[in-house]
Amino acid sequence: MLVDSAGLWFRSYYALPDSLTAPDGTPVNSVRGFCDMLARLISERRPSRLVACLDNDWRPQFRVDALPSYKTHRVAEEDPEAEEVPDTLSPQIPVILEVLDAAGITTAEAAGYEADDVIGALADRERTDPVEVVTGDRDLFQLVRAEPQIRVIYIGAGLNKAQDYGPVELAEKYALTVERAGEDYAEMAILRGDPSDGLPGVAGIGEKTAAKLITQFGSLEELIRGAGEGDKRVTPRFREKLAEAAEYLDAAPAVVRVVRSAPVVADREDDALPRGAADVERLRELQQTWGLGASIDRLITALEA
C-alpha cells in the first residue's frame, strides 16, 4: 500500500473541526483524522507492506519550467516558494511524522519531486506484490496496470465512499481502452486540463471528447499527428483548437505524467507493515502530549491485529 500522505492530512484537516485540540490548545484535527484513516486502511485492507509517501517539493521546478501556470493558485502570498497551507495545519504535520516513526511505518520521499512521483516510482518498480495506491488525486489513475497489479483506491469523496480502480474499472468509467487505461487516462487529462493544478487543457475539448479522440487514435502523439495531416476523424474545429494549443500540448506531458525514475529514499530499509507498533511507549507519550485519545488506540490496535 502506497499512501498519498499529504492528501490524507489535508482531507482530515477539512473533514474534522479544529475544536479538536491538544491540552495546550493546539488543533490536532488533522493528526487525529490521519491516524483514524490509516488505522482503518490497515484494518480493512491488511497490506503486508506500507509506505507513507511525502512531498519533498510540492511544486517542482521542472514542472513550473514546462508550464508556469502549474499550481500558481496554491502559492502562498508571502512566499512564492511555499504552498499556501492553513496556519493551524502546518504545526500538525511534524506530529503526524512523529506518529508514523513511532508506529514503525515507512515514509519515503525524493528530493525535488512530489509524492505523486514517489508513488509512481515505487509502484512502477514493484515486481513482487500487488500494489494499492491510496489517494484523492485522480492524476494517479495513470498508474493502473494488470500485471504486476496496480490499483488505485480513490478517496476523493472520503474513505466511506472509496472507489477501487484497476484497468477494467478505469476503462469503463472514462470510456478508455482496458489495455492502455492508465496511459489513456493521462493523455485524456492533458487534453481535458485540470484547473486545480493550473492546467488549461485544450479549449473546447472536454473529458468525453478527449477520451474519444485518444482511444480513436491510440495515443496523444498519433492524435496530434493525425490532426496535423488533416485526418478526417478530427473535425476542422478541433484541428484548429489542437493547433492553437500546440505549445501547451508540447509542455503538458512533463507536468501530468509522474516521474517513475524519481530518486526515492525511504527512512528505513524494510517497508513491511509492523505487526505491532515499533515504539508503543513513544506513541503513548504522543497520545498524551497532543491529546490524540482513541485515534492512537485505534492505530495501535490495527497494527497488532
Side-chain angles (χ1 to χ4, degrees), residues 3-16:
V3 176
D4 177 3
S5 299
L8 260 66
W9 65 55
F10 269 101
R11 184 164 302 281
S12 298
Y13 177 82
Y14 289 110
L16 297 173

Side-chain angles (χ1 to χ4, degrees), residues 156-276:
L159 202 49
N160 285 333
K161 297 181 180 179
Q163 297 169 290
D164 188 343
Y165 287 99
V168 172
E169 294 81 6
L170 192 66
E172 182 178 349
K173 171 76 172 177
Y174 293 101
L176 308 172
T177 59
V178 174
E179 299 77 16
R180 199 175 175 275
E183 293 88 344
D184 278 357
Y185 183 86
E187 294 182 346
M188 178 193 75
I190 290 168
L191 287 177
R192 175 197 67 201
D194 185 350
S196 69
D197 279 339
L199 297 173
V202 177
I205 296 183
E207 189 167 274
K208 290 183 179 179
T209 302
K212 181 179 178 181
L213 289 170
I214 293 297
T215 55
Q216 276 186 327
F217 282 85
S219 70
L220 178 61
E221 183 180 357
E222 288 302 315
L223 166 62
I224 293 171
R225 180 181 290 116
E229 294 173 353
D231 191 302
K232 292 182 179 179
R233 290 175 293 177
V234 186
T235 66
R237 175 172 170 264
F238 286 147
R239 283 203 295 271
E240 182 182 352
K241 295 296 184 184
L242 289 166
E244 290 172 352
E247 187 175 348
Y248 162 76
L249 289 171
D250 186 53
V255 177
V256 172
R257 293 193 174 108
V258 299
V259 180
R260 301 175 190 231
S261 59
V264 178
V265 177
D267 70 336
R268 62 195 74 215
E269 292 183 9
D270 188 358
D271 62 12
L273 184 71
R275 295 307 173 196

Side-chain angles (χ1 to χ4, degrees), residues 12-82:
S12 298
Y13 177 82
Y14 289 110
L16 297 173
D18 58 11
S19 57
L20 292 170
T21 59
D24 67 356
T26 302
V28 290
N29 52 330
S30 183
V31 184
R32 293 191 64 159
F34 184 94
C35 292
D36 285 339
M37 291 180 77
L38 194 59
R40 184 171 167 189
L41 286 165
I42 292 168
S43 296
E44 293 182 358
R45 309 197 73 88
R46 303 310 310 172
S48 59
R49 299 158 59 199
L50 190 151
V51 182
C53 301
L54 309 174
D55 283 323
N56 179 274
D57 189 335
W58 70 280
R59 189 171 179 252
Q61 191 60 46
F62 71 89
R63 288 195 167 102
V64 177
D65 288 344
L67 196 68
S69 64
Y70 183 60
K71 293 186 178 180
T72 49
H73 63 294
R74 301 191 208 173
V75 175
E77 289 185 13
E78 67 278 6
D79 183 356
E81 300 298 319

Side-chain angles (χ1 to χ4, degrees), residues 99-145:
V99 168
L100 288 170
D101 186 52
I105 292 172
T106 301
T107 61
E109 59 185 319
Y113 293 87
E114 299 177 62
D116 283 10
D117 301 308
V118 176
I119 291 170
L122 291 175
D124 193 63
R125 72 175 63 158
E126 181 59 40
R127 292 293 180 270
T128 304
D129 294 322
V131 176
E132 289 186 341
V133 173
V134 179
T135 184
D137 186 348
R138 293 190 300 170
D139 288 344
L140 290 173
F141 285 160
Q142 67 186 274
L143 296 176
V144 301
R145 72 182 181 203

Side-chain angles (χ1 to χ4, degrees), residues 39-40 42-43 46 275 297-305:
R40 184 171 167 189
I42 292 168
S43 296
R46 303 310 310 172
R275 295 307 173 196
D297 294 337
R298 284 189 279 270
L299 181 58
I300 291 172
T301 298
L303 291 169
E304 289 176 345

